[in-house]
Amino acid sequence: MATTQLLSTVEHRETLPERYARPESDRPRLAEVATDSNIPLIDLASPDKARVIAEIARACRTYGFFQVTNHGISEELLEKVMAVALEFFRLPPEEKEKLYSDEPSKKIRLSTSFNVRKETVHNWRDYLRLHCHPLEEFVPEWPSNPAQFKEIMSTYCREVRQLGLRLLGAISVSLGLEEDYIEKVLGELEQHMAVNYYPRCPEPDLTYGLPKHTDPNALTILLPDPHVAGLQVLRDGDQWIAVNPRPNALVVNLGDQIQALSNGAYKSVWHRAVVNAVRERMSVASFLCPCNSAVISPARKLVADGDAPVYRSYTYDEYYKKFWSRNLDQEHCLELFKGQ
């Protein structure tokens, strides 16, 4: 039965199964992870709009991610999303069996690790992948158990999309571009979601929930577990920083496409998920992606006269295929799109 692969359906032992253990050179070294009291926290309800734009610009240049409060999604809805997600992962194996697949191109699937067909070492994670736009096309195939799953998650998807479009507008303005510039380039935005479940792990120093990676899309909005930290980001190329959850804050990651559109001024952040020996952890990541035919290249206004753009022009379809043909933690995929 396929779900025997799922971490959420098996009783865990006191030692980590070998297929999850990373080699010595590729372990999280949790004792070396720092905390950073300056992680950008942006209040989207601030009446000082110019200051909000300046804060977004600074966060995108220096960190490649930021946290947002007063984002317009109610605390009640965020709590419902987390509760129904956890309820899903606690369903009996025969219920989860209906949705299990390790085929990466499948638009609605329950799976484990990252890409079990390709990887040699697994990650300590189960996840439910859902495509979310247009909702009426995909919701019928979403889980109908728990009973409220479709209603709660579709409400959240609508609200997170509106927030994402607002943020893309603010990012455009912060680059000195028209507010709708990025949205126009990206086309009819695709949207999908990963509902992540990281069980308690007997030896968290030996494995990852997800290893270091950047996101191939434009913008990722993460609803983190409010009680258990696990997200870490890379600063200055060598220092991992723990991103501790703040009440009702969402985490916004820039993806590779914003780095390309900004001609490298804004950073697509390297990040990873680590696991916990004492507590299980959940997170819900929403990905806003260009449509496949969108042509991505640095905005002309951001390329100085006489300079060549940092990245060549390409379609998102070309980029996404290249991203998935590699290992998750290889060199930055954008490196392959440099030059004319």
Side-chain angles (χ1 to χ4, degrees), residues 248-305:
N248 303 315
L250 297 169
V251 180
V252 181
N253 277 2
L254 299 191
D256 296 349
Q257 306 318 312
I258 299 292
Q259 181 167 327
L261 286 168
S262 72
N263 201 37
Y266 286 1
K267 303 288 179 263
S268 172
V269 67
W270 286 100
H271 55 290
R272 66 186 189 182
V274 298
V275 289
N276 192 291
V278 181
R279 301 182 72 169
E280 64 190 357
R281 176 174 162 262
M282 302 277 320
S283 70
V284 179
S286 296
F287 305 97
L288 292 175
C289 316
C291 67
N292 276 340
S293 59
V295 177
I296 309 292
S297 62
R300 195 164 293 160
K301 193 173 174 182
L302 303 180
V303 181
D305 286 347

Side-chain angles (χ1 to χ4, degrees), residues 190-205:
E190 295 221 357
Q191 181 181 352
H192 50 101
M193 170 190 270
V195 183
N196 299 307
Y197 176 74
Y198 305 98
R200 276 193 325 105
C201 178
E203 297 179 273
D205 278 309

Side-chain angles (χ1 to χ4, degrees), residues 102-106 109 113-119 125 127 129 131 192 210 214-217 287 316-328 330 333 336:
D102 54 18
E103 169 49 62
S105 63
K106 202 160 183 283
R109 65 194 176 95
S113 189
F114 177 71
N115 185 352
V116 284
R117 292 185 174 186
K118 207 167 164 283
E119 63 203 12
R125 165 183 94 133
Y127 64 97
R129 169 74 77 177
H131 272 239
H192 50 101
L210 273 176
T214 64
D215 289 344
N217 48 299
F287 305 97
Y316 185 59
D317 187 51
E318 181 187 357
Y319 191 89
Y320 200 68
K321 283 178 175 151
K322 178 66 76 179
F323 184 91
W324 274 90
S325 70
R326 308 152 62 256
N327 284 333
L328 189 60
Q330 274 178 269
C333 191
L336 307 174

Side-chain angles (χ1 to χ4, degrees), residues 18-34:
E18 204 166 302
R19 65 186 179 278
Y20 293 93
R22 295 263 161 187
E24 185 76 45
S25 60
D26 182 26
R27 289 179 184 170
R29 302 203 166 108
L30 298 175
E32 296 171 23
V33 173

Side-chain angles (χ1 to χ4, degrees), residues 8 11 45 47 70 85 100 106-107 110 183 189 252 273 306 323:
S8 54
E11 277 301 312
N70 293 317
Y100 186 87
K106 202 160 183 283
K107 294 196 167 178
L110 173 63
E183 193 182 337
L189 283 174
V252 181
F323 184 91

Side-chain angles (χ1 to χ4, degrees), residues 203-214:
E203 297 179 273
D205 278 309
L206 303 185
T207 192
Y208 292 103
L210 273 176
K212 152 181 131 159
H213 64 287
T214 64

